[in-house]
């Protein structure tokens, strides 16, 4: 079970369409499907999802999260808090032997390939 957030600045180049392209290129042999603002990368019994989420609650949650992140410049933090959108990445499939950890890391690499996106671990919280 893995989780990550992609905090978006207002001027980010992140789009669901481009995320599908980049995930498809990163995961040959996997199924990459899109339904609305959600993408699922799957192979066999394992899957990981990515969704673009928006709403006023995102600003409040981002403000609280950014306050705990080390190494984020004040101007960057302000830009992140100004956005009411973020990308959520998750899977609920247990991975006790970490067989899919590299798949998770590859998904994070795709997130980090977008400008104006800060990938964070919501549990720690820390920059990925």
């Amino acid at each position: 079970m893995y989780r990550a957030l992609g905090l978006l600045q207002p001027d980010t180049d992140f789009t669901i369409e481009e995320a599908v392209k980049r995930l498809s290129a990163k995961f040959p042999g996997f199924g990459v499907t899109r339904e609305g603002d959600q993408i699922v990368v799957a192979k066999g019994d394992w899957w990981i999802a990515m969704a673009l989420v928006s709403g006023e609650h995102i600003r409040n949650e981002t403000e609280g999260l950014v306050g705990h992140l080390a190494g984020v410049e004040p101007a960057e933090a302000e830009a992140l808090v100004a956005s009411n959108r973020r990308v959520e990445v998750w899977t609920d499939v247990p991975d006790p032997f970490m067989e899919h950890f590299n798949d998770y890391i590859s998904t994070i690499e795709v997130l980090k390939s977008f400008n104006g996106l800060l990938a964070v671990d919501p549990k720690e919280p820390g920059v990925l």
Side-chain angles (χ1 to χ4, degrees):
M1 297 182 14
Y2 302 109
R3 302 255 185 279
L5 298 175
L7 304 180
L8 300 173
Q9 294 181 354
D11 62 349
T12 184
D13 64 354
F14 179 87
T15 65
I16 288 292
E17 295 83 14
E18 185 60 29
V20 168
K21 290 177 190 173
R22 294 181 191 187
L23 287 166
S24 295
K26 191 76 158 176
F27 289 96
F30 284 65
V32 179
T33 57
R34 174 186 177 190
E35 188 172 314
D37 283 341
Q38 182 172 313
I39 305 164
V40 176
V41 177
K43 187 173 187 179
D45 293 338
W46 190 82
W47 59 267
I48 192 162
M50 179 183 290
L52 180 62
V53 181
S54 61
E56 286 303 314
H57 67 285
I58 300 295
R59 282 190 182 141
N60 293 336
E61 292 172 9
T62 300
E63 188 173 17
L65 188 60
V66 169
H68 295 10
L69 295 175
V72 177
E73 297 295 323
E76 183 182 16
E78 189 174 308
L80 292 168
V81 171
S83 178
N84 67 347
R85 301 180 315 140
R86 72 175 173 219
V87 180
E88 297 180 356
V89 175
W90 76 96
T91 181
D92 293 328
V93 179
D95 191 21
F97 302 109
M98 297 182 70
E99 297 170 89
H100 297 285
F101 183 72
N102 286 338
D103 298 329
Y104 166 69
I105 294 299
S106 293
T107 304
I108 300 306
E109 288 173 359
V110 169
L111 265 186
K112 291 169 64 172
S113 71
F114 288 95
N115 294 319
L117 185 148
L118 181 67
V120 299
D121 181 341
K123 293 179 187 173
E124 292 295 322
V127 176
L128 296 172

